[in-house]
């Protein structure tokens, strides 16, 4: 391949090869961390990754080694140690690859002969992929902070998300300006993803608009103990029709709020719901189709907006809504479809709030319930420590394993002083089998896999996770430089 590049580009060949390699890493990183999806017709080179709330929930394809956004935020709040790549590390990786692409392109430009047609068509591809990497780096950081805001109500996190999505929009506008007229306007990848970068602008703008709406709602209600969004239930679709039908998710429910429909009866398990049998009817909003949620359809017409107030429940008569709650006095805010509110002061009775609705006809978009007094303190943010560098990790995998007999594996780590735990994960080379875990008794790094877990029908695969004292860690083998697991043949 290098010899072929030397024939095409002369002395610029090695720099062009570096640009190709780094550009390939852009797509690999995006696909591994955030384009895992059952719809194989989504084109990562032009797709912004779906709307921001969907972007948060997409699972990485390498989920054993890369943390999803919800998982990473949970780990940070709960102080759970993990060696998985975090969203922060993902964005750093994307920024680093983008810089590598740019540097390789600049080196090559100084060596390519003037008029080289292959270079004139390749250079724009490299530039576009570098911008895509930077776009996803900003959106990844925004998603990470937005999920933290959803779980904690921390306004600083919402501010960071807004700032990063503003930066992401500016990058996308640069992409559009650069690519209009340079590429065909009707590029086709599969039956749905047709067009170019300018066709994705409505989705990128929608992300920022959604954040601004969340900001407005936070300014109005702040942090609260309970929030309920009234409306129609979101359908849960199954089968091959998901690509054409309405969204599988709940894009008619405001984040930080729980969905309530007219049939939601109170139960001790859920802790909230209706306790009366009055006449209630939902006035819903059009759900966002799947292809719009995933930023695929051209000219989207049902992008989510104002989801808290636009749908509501109509009722009449003596209605009661019950919420299980700690003892105390609460302010209950009734949310009306015209964005106005009315309030009621209530005290818990028998471990719950029994909320009476107005006599006569009423329409409600939701409820916000706050306990009297100061709001609970924000959870302390726990960050992975950057103080520990990867130690020397050595392991010699065995040549084979005997079915039905235990297998002992040994790991060597130097220094071991910064390790808080060392774990072995193993399973048969069979996709339906679940990984099992053995944790070492430090400082001894010997693991014994029971014989009953070693079958002649399947070879054995395994890897190690080393956790440090700063909530981070490393894998062995290192998934960034080699196949991320060892495979031992069984006999």
């Amino acid at each position: 391949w290098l010899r072929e590049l030397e024939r095409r580009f002369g002395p610029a060949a090695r720099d062009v090869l570096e640009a190709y390699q780094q550009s390939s890493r852009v797509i690999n990183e995006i696909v591994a961390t955030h384009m895992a999806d059952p719809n194989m017709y989504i084109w990562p080179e032009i797709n912004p990754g779906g709307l921001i709330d969907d972007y948060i929930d997409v699972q990485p394809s390498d989920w054993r080694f890369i943390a999803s956004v919800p998982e990473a935020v949970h780990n940070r709040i709960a102080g759970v140690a993990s060696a998985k790549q975090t969203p922060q590390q993902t964005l750093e990786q994307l920024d680093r690859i983008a810089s590598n692409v740019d540097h390789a392109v600049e080196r090559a430009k100084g060596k390519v002969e003037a008029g080289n047609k292959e270079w004139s068509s390749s250079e724009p591809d490299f530039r576009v992929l570098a911008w895509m990497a930077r776009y996803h780096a900003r959106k990844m950081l925004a998603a990470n902070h937005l999920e933290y805001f959803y779980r904690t109500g921390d306004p600083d996190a919402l501010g960071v998300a807004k700032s990063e999505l503003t930066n992401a929009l500016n990058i996308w506008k640069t992409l559009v300006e650069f690519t209009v007229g340079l590429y065909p306007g009707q590029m086709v990848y599969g039956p749905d993803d047709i067009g170019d970068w300018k066709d994705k602008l409505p989705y990128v703008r929608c992300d920022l608009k959604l954040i601004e709406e969340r900001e407005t709602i936070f300014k109005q209600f702040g942090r609260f103990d309970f929030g309920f969004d009234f409306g129609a239930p979101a359908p849960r679709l199954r089968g091959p029709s998901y690509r054409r039908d309405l969204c599988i998710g709940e894009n008619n429910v405001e984040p930080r709020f729980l969905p309530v429909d007219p049939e939601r009866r109170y139960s001790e398990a859920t802790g909230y719901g209706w306790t009366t049998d009055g006449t209630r009817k939902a006035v819903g909003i059009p759900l966002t189709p799947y292809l719009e949620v995933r930023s695929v359809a051209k000219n989207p017409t049902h992008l989510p907006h104002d989801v808290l107030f636009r749908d509501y429940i109509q009722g009449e008569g003596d209605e009661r809504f019950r919420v299980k709650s700690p003892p105390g006095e609460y302010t209950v805010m009734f949310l009306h479809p015209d964005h106005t509110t009315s309030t009621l002061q209530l005290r818990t009775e028998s471990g719950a709030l029994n909320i009476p609705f107005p006599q006569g006809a009423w329409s409600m978009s939701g409820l916000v319930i706050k306990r009297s007094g100061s709001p609970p303190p924000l959870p302390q943010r726990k960050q992975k420590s950057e103080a520990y560098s990867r130690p020397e990790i050595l392991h010699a995998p065995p040549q084979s394993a005997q079915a039905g007999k235990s297998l002992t594996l040994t790991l060597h780590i130097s220094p071991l002083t910064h390790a808080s735990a060392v774990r072995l994960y193993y399973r048969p080379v069979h996709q339906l089998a679940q990984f099992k875990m053995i944790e070492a008794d430090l400082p001894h790094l010997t693991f014994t896999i029971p014989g009953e877990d070693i079958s002649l029908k399947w070879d054995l695969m395994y890897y190690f996770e080393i956790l440090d004292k700063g909530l981070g860690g490393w894998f062995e083998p290192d998934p960034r430089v080699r196949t991320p697991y060892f495979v031992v043949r069984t006999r």
Side-chain angles (χ1 to χ4, degrees), residues 165-182:
L165 285 179
T166 301
N167 294 334
L169 175 59
N170 291 333
I171 292 171
W172 203 273
K173 287 179 178 178
T174 301
L175 263 171
V176 171
E177 184 178 349
F178 179 77
T179 56
V180 166
L182 184 62

Side-chain angles (χ1 to χ4, degrees), residues 126-254:
F126 299 145
R127 299 291 191 191
V128 166
L129 289 171
W131 277 320
M132 287 295 294
R134 291 192 170 98
Y135 169 82
H136 280 283
R138 305 279 65 77
K139 189 164 182 174
M140 180 65 69
L141 184 57
N144 191 42
H145 280 81
L146 189 58
E147 175 69 4
Y148 188 84
F149 166 73
Y150 289 162
R151 295 198 184 202
T152 66
D154 184 348
D156 292 340
L158 182 61
V160 173
K162 181 180 179 180
S163 175
E164 292 302 326
L165 285 179
T166 301
N167 294 334
L169 175 59
N170 291 333
I171 292 171
W172 203 273
K173 287 179 178 178
T174 301
L175 263 171
V176 171
E177 184 178 349
F178 179 77
T179 56
V180 166
L182 184 62
Y183 294 86
Q186 289 292 103
M187 293 185 291
V188 177
Y189 188 85
D192 304 310
D193 215 344
I194 301 171
D196 61 12
W197 292 268
K198 71 177 182 299
D199 296 310
K200 310 299 183 183
L201 257 179
Y203 298 108
V204 182
R205 289 191 171 114
C206 181
D207 282 346
L208 187 56
K209 188 173 184 296
L210 286 173
I211 299 301
E212 291 169 347
E213 288 186 3
R214 308 276 141 78
E215 194 175 46
T216 299
I217 289 172
F218 184 81
K219 288 178 180 176
Q220 185 173 7
F221 302 115
R223 298 173 63 209
F224 44 75
D225 294 270
F226 306 98
F228 301 99
D229 186 353
F230 288 6
R236 293 287 181 175
L237 303 177
R238 294 177 176 85
S241 64
Y242 73 92
R243 290 174 56 249
R244 293 294 180 189
D245 290 330
L246 297 177
C247 173
I248 301 170
E250 295 179 333
N251 57 64
N252 63 343
V253 180
E254 179 69 21

Side-chain angles (χ1 to χ4, degrees), residues 416-460:
L416 186 60
T417 53
H418 296 150
S420 61
V422 181
R423 297 167 179 167
L424 168 72
Y425 296 88
Y426 68 94
R427 69 166 171 83
V429 183
H430 175 34
Q431 290 181 340
L432 298 182
Q434 298 296 314
F435 275 95
K436 294 185 177 181
M437 187 269 285
I438 301 173
E439 185 164 328
D441 185 12
L442 297 180
H444 307 290
L445 299 179
T446 300
F447 306 82
T448 299
I449 298 176
E452 58 264 28
D453 290 338
I454 301 176
S455 169
L456 189 60
K457 295 174 63 177
W458 311 99
D459 289 336
L460 181 71

Side-chain angles (χ1 to χ4, degrees), residues 209-383:
K209 188 173 184 296
L210 286 173
I211 299 301
E212 291 169 347
E213 288 186 3
R214 308 276 141 78
E215 194 175 46
T216 299
I217 289 172
F218 184 81
K219 288 178 180 176
Q220 185 173 7
F221 302 115
R223 298 173 63 209
F224 44 75
D225 294 270
F226 306 98
F228 301 99
D229 186 353
F230 288 6
R236 293 287 181 175
L237 303 177
R238 294 177 176 85
S241 64
Y242 73 92
R243 290 174 56 249
R244 293 294 180 189
D245 290 330
L246 297 177
C247 173
I248 301 170
E250 295 179 333
N251 57 64
N252 63 343
V253 180
E254 179 69 21
R256 298 198 298 144
F257 287 72
L258 294 171
V260 173
D261 62 67
E263 305 304 319
R264 167 69 71 175
R265 300 291 298 185
Y266 178 83
S267 73
E268 286 296 317
T270 62
Y272 66 94
W274 303 100
T275 58
T276 50
D277 296 319
T279 302
R280 296 183 295 268
K281 180 180 72 173
V283 178
I285 55 178
L287 293 176
T288 304
Y290 176 82
L291 294 181
E292 292 189 18
V293 169
R294 299 299 294 130
S295 303
V296 172
K298 268 194 170 185
N299 304 316
T301 56
H302 291 99
L303 293 177
H305 65 279
D306 193 22
V307 298
L308 179 57
F309 287 98
R310 272 200 308 147
D311 57 348
Y312 51 93
I313 293 176
Q314 292 177 330
E316 187 170 359
D318 186 21
E319 297 279 13
R320 291 289 188 276
F321 191 84
R322 183 177 175 90
V323 181
K324 187 189 297 185
S325 54
E329 191 169 305
Y330 292 81
T331 299
V332 179
M333 303 178 69
F334 295 90
L335 280 54
H336 306 289
D338 62 358
H339 288 241
T340 60
T341 62
S342 54
T343 61
L344 182 68
Q345 296 296 127
L346 287 178
R347 181 174 288 276
T348 51
E349 299 174 359
S350 302
L353 291 171
N354 296 292
I355 304 171
F357 275 61
Q359 295 294 324
W362 51 263
S363 297
M364 296 293 176
S365 292
L367 295 173
V368 170
I369 302 172
K370 293 184 177 184
R371 191 174 183 178
S372 299
S374 301
L378 287 168
Q380 185 177 358
R381 299 189 189 191
K382 299 177 178 69
Q383 299 287 356

